[in-house]
Each structure stands twice: as structure tokens, then as C-alpha cells.
Amino acid sequence: MIGAIVSLTPFAADQFENARILVVGDLMLDRFRYGSVSRISPEAPVPVLHIIREQKMLGGAGNVLANIVSLGGRAGLIAAIGSDDAGRLCSELIAGKGGDPALLVESPTRPTTLKTRFISGSQQLLRCDEEDSSPLPETLEDRIIAHFDRALGDYDVVALSDYAKGLLTDRVLRHAISRCRDMGKPVIVDPKRRDFSAYAGATVIKPNRSELAAYSGLPCRDLASSATAAALAMETTGAALLLTLSEDGMALFRPGREIAHLHATATEVFDVSGAGDTALAIFCAGIASGLEMEDAALVANAGAGAVVRKLGTATLSGTELAHAVADLADTGKETEQPAPGAICTVEEAVQVVRAWKRDGLRVGFTNGCFDIVHAGHIQILRQARARCDRLVVGLNSDASVSRLKGPTRPVQSEASRAAVLAAMGAVDLVVVFDEDTPHSLIERLLPTDLIKGADYKEDEVVGADIVKSNGGAVHLIALLPGLSTTAAIARVRERQESSAPENV
């Protein structure tokens, strides 16, 4: 039978403050390099990415730890690093999250796994991996096992984060699962092996659909066809299965129990990097904090739906997770969000920007009359979008433009100007305002990033003080020379006058 979980007792932001999870698995450093593409290389038919900013964060098993800590829990991480800059940075990042770098095993011969993603706007262009995925040598296995035995007593749940990078060898897996069973501690596995028998004795295994299909050799196109493969995995391993189904949500399979299907909660997928790590972290924290398995799965599903709306290897706070669970529990409170590029009222924009910021997105803001859109406008909008996750454009109304530019302007109505802006891929939201400046609009929206052309100085940018006092940033974008709407309109009128027939 297929059942569905539809409710959960009120979920508090501090629900996981007493959760203690030991994470064992493949650690990596995720590096994101953001920029903009405006041309194709003359050397080859590839885009040229102009790098604007870079982020480095814990990935793989490190991202599981980061999510647990972000949710308010306590986590330790047993993993391997190399004797390199990436390894040293991983150690610093773990210490910064309250983890113990002494649980890391350093290898003089293996590099720290480093994954570099190149991103233009919200589009990932390329990923480069630097790694050694061969199994750990016996000497490093010994140190991993020794760390595990010393640390296990301090934690309630063990998460095995297997990215097939060589740390979770047969010997390490057998030892960890056996020790957990002896001590009555749940062990949750995120698998990458094709043969699930290596995880026999685990409490729960959390594969995705393709991983389950690769293990079983059976089609897992939908929930019904996945059930047979899940039954085979449960028979082989004795574990329950929490199957992630991408756009179809999750399903919890347990021997002798009906299937619990949790439908997907994300209405917009922005980036799936690390979403599986988030789901694993939340599920483990739920079990560690005393939630029943069904409720822990429900919360994990809600969290996964929220984190895919973030850019990069993202985490959730306890407050964000509580909001996601509340939205799931009371869908009647949800309002339909405008589509990307929508034209909104100020009130609608305030609600949308709040939702974006709640999801951890950087919201940029720029403004102007945009009477006749030219290449300079395209440049600033693309550059602005590269500095944030969502871009809101404040557009002067017709009355506002007339006061600023004179009675002959605008030449295009506000409806036409808004429609042009909304059709641009760099623009996520357009808001028409009637004042001469966007000061009050910026006060209402409180964007994280304010973007203007470099013909301004920072202290001349309207709203700069508001954004900076709220922890945001101001960016000044270089303009293309010789481009001006006023000058373009003047040239058109000169040509019209010079070509008009003389009165005789």
C-alpha cells in the first residue's frame, strides 16, 4: 500500500539543538566562481566567463556537518584531507563550525577533493574535479577506525556519507555499522556503491532513484516500479529505505509497513548542489532529536524543497526549516509567487523579496527610466545579475520620468518599458514607482545588494545608506562609453527635423 504523511506536530526552530550526529565520509571543498558571459572566445567556440566573485565551502560529508550545525545541532566529522591548501581550509572551516579538526586524517600522498564550479548568473557552465578516488591504504583505515571508536560515545546517530571517494572502504563500513549496532545507535547511509550489501546492518539507506536502479538492475521510473527494487534492497541489507525521487519528492520504505510517499515541496529549483546532504543532515537530526522515522522524513523532504531554491552548496537555519515545515503543513497560507520577470506592485514585490531572502538568496536592486533600452542598459543589468541571486529593477513611472526629464519624456509608456525589462533574462522582478527616487522603495524591499553605474560615487547612490546599514553591499558597474538615452532621442529628433520638408 502507498500512504502519505500530511501533518506533523508544530516544528520549532530549536528542535534540533540537542541532536548529536557523527558524520563519517568523503570530505571535499566546493569552490564556486561566479561571473558573467558577454562574448565567445576567439580561440574556440566557448563562452568567456568574467569572474566577479568566488565562494569556498565544505562539500560532501563536510556539507552534511555544515547543515547539522546550521540547524542548531552538534556534529563531528571523521574524514581524510590532503597536505594541501584545500585541506587546511577544510580544517579551518570545520573548526569554525564547532567541529574537531583532530578527527581528520591527513594523507601526504592524496589530495583533498576539490570541486570547482563556474557559474554565469544562475547557469552552471562547467565543473572541474581534482581528486583521488582510490580506496584508503590500510594505515589510514586504521586511523579512521581509531578516531571512530574514540568519538562514537559522544554522539547519538551516525551518518555515513559515501561519495565513492575511497574513505568508506569495506573494512571501515563493516566496523562502523557493527559498532553502531552493538551500542544501539542508528546509522544512516547516503550510498554511492552499486552493491548495497556493503551497507548491510544499517538502520536506513538513503539512495536516489538512479542509485536504486543501478543496485537492483530494475527500472525505477516511478514510485510503483521503485517498490520492487526497494523490497530487494531491504531484504539484502535489513535496512529501511528513504528514497529520494527528485521532482516526485521522497518515499519511505520499511519492512512490513506501507510506503509513505512525501510529495515534492519545491515550486522552483534554483540549484540542486548539496540537496542530498541537506536531506541526510535533517533526517539524522530528526532521528537524533527523537522524531519518529516518518516525521523525520517529512521534515527532510520539506528542507530539501527549500534548499534547492538556494544557489551553491547551501545550508538551512532552524528558522528556515521551521518555515518550510509550516508551509508544508498549511498550504492554504501559501500565495502564488510571480514568475521570473514578473511585473509587480510594491506590496507584491515586498512579499516576494522577503521569501527570497528567507531562502538565503542575495537580492539585488537597480533602477532607472529605461526609456529606450540600449547596450549600456544590457551591460549594467547583466553585471548586476552576476552580483546577486535575484535582480529587482525599480522603474520610474511615466509621471516620474516627466518630472525628471521634461514634458516630452518618456517616449515609451511605463507599461511598454516594464514589459521590455521583464522579458530580459537578467531581470527577475520589475516594480514601477512613482516618486522621483527609489528611496522609499528600497526602504520597503531592503535588498542585500544595490547596483548602479560607475558614473555615481557610492555616497551619491540613493539608498546606499539603507542597504549598508542592513548589512548589504553597494556595487558600481562600469558603463559603456558614449551611450545615453537622452542623446539617442536628441539624435532621432535632429534627423526628423533635418528630413522634414520645408514650407513653401
Side-chain angles (χ1 to χ4, degrees):
M1 295 179 64
I2 298 177
I5 302 170
V6 294
S7 64
L8 175 66
T9 54
F11 183 86
D14 61 354
Q15 183 91 22
F16 295 151
E17 66 177 9
N18 295 318
R20 301 181 303 168
I21 298 104
L22 179 61
V23 184
V24 186
D26 297 301
L27 170 65
M28 56 196 73
L29 182 66
D30 281 343
R31 178 168 62 182
F32 294 84
R33 309 199 72 188
Y34 299 96
S36 62
V37 173
S38 58
R39 63 192 180 96
I40 300 298
S41 171
E43 303 164 357
V46 295
V48 176
L49 181 68
H50 175 65
I51 301 295
I52 294 172
R53 61 188 174 100
E54 179 177 278
Q55 283 184 301
K56 294 177 182 177
M57 57 193 73
L58 296 169
N63 190 38
V64 180
L65 174 139
N67 269 276
I68 293 167
V69 173
S70 179
L71 292 164
R74 184 165 72 87
L77 174 61
I78 298 175
I81 57 173
S83 301
D84 49 30
D85 290 341
R88 284 185 286 274
L89 180 55
C90 283
S91 182
E92 292 171 7
L93 291 172
I94 289 168
K97 295 185 180 300
D100 183 3
L103 293 176
L104 299 176
V105 172
E106 184 175 307
S107 169
T109 58
R110 296 166 62 93
T112 304
T113 299
L114 174 63
K115 295 182 180 293
T116 304
R117 297 168 176 88
F118 297 88
I119 299 170
S120 175
S122 60
Q123 179 64 51
Q124 188 174 139
L125 303 179
L126 177 68
R127 193 181 91 181
C128 301
D129 292 358
E130 301 168 54
E131 62 187 22
D132 178 353
S133 297
S134 60
L136 287 185
E138 185 175 348
T139 54
L140 292 186
E141 282 184 321
D142 291 340
R143 293 172 61 190
I144 294 291
I145 289 171
H147 284 338
F148 183 82
D149 287 344
R150 282 195 300 269
L152 183 58
D154 294 330
Y155 298 92
D156 304 310
V157 172
V158 171
L160 300 181
S161 178
D162 190 355
Y163 271 83
K165 304 303 179 188
L167 185 129
L168 291 173
T169 62
D170 289 343
R171 180 180 170 216
V172 170
L173 282 172
R174 284 196 303 269
H175 183 87
I177 294 172
S178 176
R179 289 282 289 147
C180 286
R181 288 177 65 88
D182 290 344
M183 297 181 67
K185 294 180 184 285
V187 55
I188 319 299
V189 182
D190 200 343
K192 279 293 182 290
R193 290 180 177 234
R194 293 179 65 93
D195 184 3
F196 285 7
S197 64
Y199 309 122
T203 310
V204 181
I205 301 173
K206 191 191 75 66
N208 59 34
R209 192 155 34 196
S210 63
E211 289 163 349
L212 182 59
Y215 155 71
S216 65
L218 299 171
C220 297
R221 291 182 293 269
D222 52 29
L223 187 59
S225 60
S226 299
T228 302
L232 178 62
M234 288 188 290
E235 182 179 355
T236 301
T237 65
L241 252 70
L242 180 61
L243 178 64
T244 58
L245 297 164
S246 187
E247 69 277 4
D248 294 323
M250 294 182 181
L252 179 62
F253 299 86
R254 289 166 298 168
R257 304 283 291 275
E258 69 177 16
I259 303 168
H261 184 204
L262 303 98
H263 294 280
T265 63
T267 57
E268 177 185 17
V269 175
F270 193 59
D271 192 340
V272 298
S273 302
D277 299 329
T278 300
L280 176 63
I282 296 172
F283 185 76
C284 289
I287 298 298
S289 65
L291 291 182
E292 295 295 330
M293 195 176 291
E294 297 92 336
D295 286 343
L298 182 147
V299 177
N301 186 53
V307 83
V308 295
R309 295 195 292 268
K310 293 188 174 189
L311 183 64
T313 307
T315 60
L316 291 177
S317 68
T319 300
E320 288 173 322
L321 180 58
H323 280 303
V325 174
D327 287 344
L328 181 65
D330 190 357
T331 55
K333 291 182 179 179
E334 295 181 356
T335 57
E336 187 172 346
Q337 296 282 326
I343 303 167
C344 287
T345 66
V346 175
E347 293 301 326
E348 290 171 335
V350 168
Q351 296 303 314
V352 174
V353 169
R354 283 178 182 169
W356 284 342
K357 290 169 68 176
R358 193 179 77 190
D359 286 339
L361 301 179
R362 296 194 67 85
V363 180
F365 178 90
T366 191
N367 67 280
C369 299
F370 297 95
D371 201 358
I372 296 179
V373 176
H374 52 66
H377 292 134
I378 303 298
Q379 163 90 350
I380 196 169
L381 291 173
R382 285 178 174 171
Q383 293 290 322
R385 186 59 170 78
R387 285 162 170 77
C388 58
D389 302 321
R390 296 287 189 273
L391 179 63
V392 180
V393 176
L395 180 67
N396 293 77
S397 69
D398 288 348
S400 175
V401 175
S402 292
R403 290 194 300 270
L404 295 171
K405 304 292 186 180
T408 61
R409 301 280 298 276
V411 296
Q412 303 278 355
S413 70
E414 64 188 52
S416 295
R417 291 181 287 124
V420 170
L421 289 170
M424 295 182 181
V427 177
D428 295 288
L429 216 61
V430 180
V431 187
V432 178
F433 63 94
D434 199 45
E435 297 80 9
D436 291 350
T437 76
H439 188 274
S440 63
L441 179 58
I442 292 170
E443 280 187 320
R444 296 291 309 282
L445 298 179
L446 292 179
T448 59
D449 297 84
L450 184 59
I451 303 105
K452 288 293 287 185
D455 51 338
Y456 288 84
K457 295 179 181 178
E458 186 171 303
D459 58 4
E460 298 172 338
V461 177
V462 172
D465 56 335
I466 300 169
V467 172
K468 291 172 68 177
S469 66
N470 282 275
V474 177
H475 310 275
L476 301 179
I477 305 296
L479 302 178
L480 295 178
L483 294 174
S484 162
T485 298
T486 300
I489 292 173
R491 287 194 298 271
V492 170
R493 286 174 176 163
E494 287 173 3
R495 290 171 183 170
Q496 288 175 334
E497 291 171 359
S498 65
S499 61
E502 298 181 2
N503 294 325
V504 296

